Structure formats: C-alpha cells, structure tokens
Amino acid sequence: MDINLIKEAIETKVYHIPSDLIVPHHRHEDRDEIFYCIKGSGFGISEDGEVELNVGDSFVAPAGTIHSMRSDGEMYVVAVLIPVNRIICHCKQVSYVDIRKAMVGGARTLEEIQELTGAGTGCGGCIGEVERILSIACGCKGVSMETVVNAVKDGADTIEKVGEATGAGTDCGRCKLLLQNIIDTKK
Ligand code: FES
Ligand code: FES
C-alpha cells in the first residue's frame, strides 16, 4: 500500500470502557488495531485469551482477528486503526481487498471468486478464509451477508435503511459499496 494512503487513513479514537459496557466481539478485516491504556485498567480480549492492561500497556488486534475489551472498574484506551491489505491466498497473491472488490462487483460464491481473482485455485489452503470473507457483509458490526440480503428483501432499499435494520455500515463505512451492490442485486 502507498505510504501516503496509509498515513491519510490512520484513525485514532479514545474509548471509555466502564465495567458495565459489553463490547461485542468483532474484527476489522482490513485494519490492524493497537490499543494503549491511558487510564484505569482492564483487559484486551482475543481468541487466545485475555491480556491485562494497566496504564502504559498495549494490546494489538491484527486485521481479521476477533477481539473485544472489558474492565472490572473502568478503563480509557487510545485505539489506533492502521489500514493493511492482508494476502489471503498466498499461492496466487490475492489480497483481502481483491476479494472484496470482486464482491462489490457482484461475486458471491467461491467459484466466482476463483474465476475472478484466482484465489483458492492453488493448494486450496485459503478456501476456508475466502468462504468466511464471502459470508460477511460488515466486519465492524459482524453482520453477515445473509442478514443484509434478508433486510434488503424485507424492504431496506437504501444504505441508511440497511444500517437501521442490521447495523451494517454504521462504523467505518468501508462496506457501503458492497451494501449498495447487495441492494442493487438483491443477493
Ligand atoms: S493459499 Fe490459496 S490456493 Fe493456496
Ligand atoms: S466494515 Fe466498517 S462499517 Fe461495515
């Protein structure tokens, strides 16, 4: 990725995590997220377990990994989101963005992705990950393609209405082109 594009797209947020806040498990498919505790204490949660965070500690959630946070008291963290483009298929050097672009163009099945990008046509080791990417409409909110397609079939005919019905598209907004394609094609 171009360094200037990366610099422009880096996003910084400050989150307050009180003990009663349940942060849903989620993943950012095309951004690494680094958390840095600036006040209080708590835990960064990943599939590998929990990492205790006190002031000055950090926790990294690489792109594509499920993560969450919690605190028994309260915690403030700085979160830095850094764009990355993961290679999903190493045999054919097909990236996450390549697969999403194919989906924005209407591809919905493994066979269509294989035909358009070549992903999954070598050793086959990436096929599970390609299928997982195909099943997700919005990574930030963990909304599946099936949920969005059903909302569209139930009458959500704009990105805003899909967002109200499912939550998809209401965070970083990177999935909006795909949501529009689902609205246009109803699949
Ligand atoms: S890693 Fe994709 S086909 Fe081998
Ligand atoms: S992927 Fe971020 S809002 Fe959908």
Side-chain angles (χ1 to χ4, degrees):
M1 285 177 79
D2 181 80
I3 188 63
N4 289 318
L5 289 179
I6 294 174
K7 279 160 72 179
E8 278 168 25
I10 286 175
E11 217 180 307
T12 305
K13 302 179 179 183
V14 176
Y15 292 118
H16 176 205
I17 319 279
S19 59
D20 58 354
L21 179 69
I22 297 167
V23 180
H25 285 79
H26 65 285
R27 64 177 111 218
H28 307 287
E29 299 284 359
D30 56 358
R31 291 184 294 171
D32 290 336
E33 189 165 26
I34 302 170
F35 298 96
Y36 181 84
C37 178
I38 54 173
K39 186 174 179 186
S41 62
F43 300 87
I45 305 167
S46 71
E47 283 173 311
D48 295 333
E50 296 194 341
V51 175
E52 189 174 350
L53 296 174
N54 293 294
V55 173
D57 292 338
S58 58
F59 167 66
V60 178
T65 63
I66 292 178
H67 60 278
S68 175
M69 311 222 91
R70 72 173 182 87
S71 172
D72 292 331
E74 68 170 2
M75 173 169 67
Y76 289 82
V77 291
V78 174
V80 183
L81 286 145
I82 302 163
V84 293
N85 187 14
R86 291 183 290 138
I87 294 295
I88 303 299
C89 176
H90 290 273
C91 290
K92 302 293 175 178
Q93 288 297 297
V94 181
S95 70
Y96 173 79
V97 170
D98 294 330
I99 293 171
R100 291 295 278 193
K101 276 185 182 163
M103 291 172 71
V104 168
R108 296 291 185 268
T109 65
L110 174 63
E111 292 69 30
E112 287 168 338
I113 294 293
Q114 287 175 319
E115 196 175 320
L116 286 166
T117 70
T121 59
C123 72
C126 62
I127 284 178
E129 182 67 351
V130 172
E131 288 178 329
R132 190 188 67 73
I133 293 168
L134 274 168
S135 73
I136 296 170
C138 174
C140 290
K141 296 294 180 180
V143 183
S144 69
M145 290 291 285
E146 190 183 0
T147 299
V148 173
V149 170
N150 287 339
V152 169
K153 286 182 177 166
D154 287 345
D157 56 4
T158 65
I159 290 173
E160 290 70 27
K161 288 182 192 169
V162 168
E164 280 165 25
T166 70
T170 60
D171 193 335
C172 74
R174 285 161 186 259
C175 57
K176 285 183 178 177
L177 285 176
L178 176 58
L179 299 182
Q180 188 60 56
N181 182 259
I182 299 171
I183 292 165
D184 293 343
T185 61
K186 295 191 170 43
K187 72 176 180 83

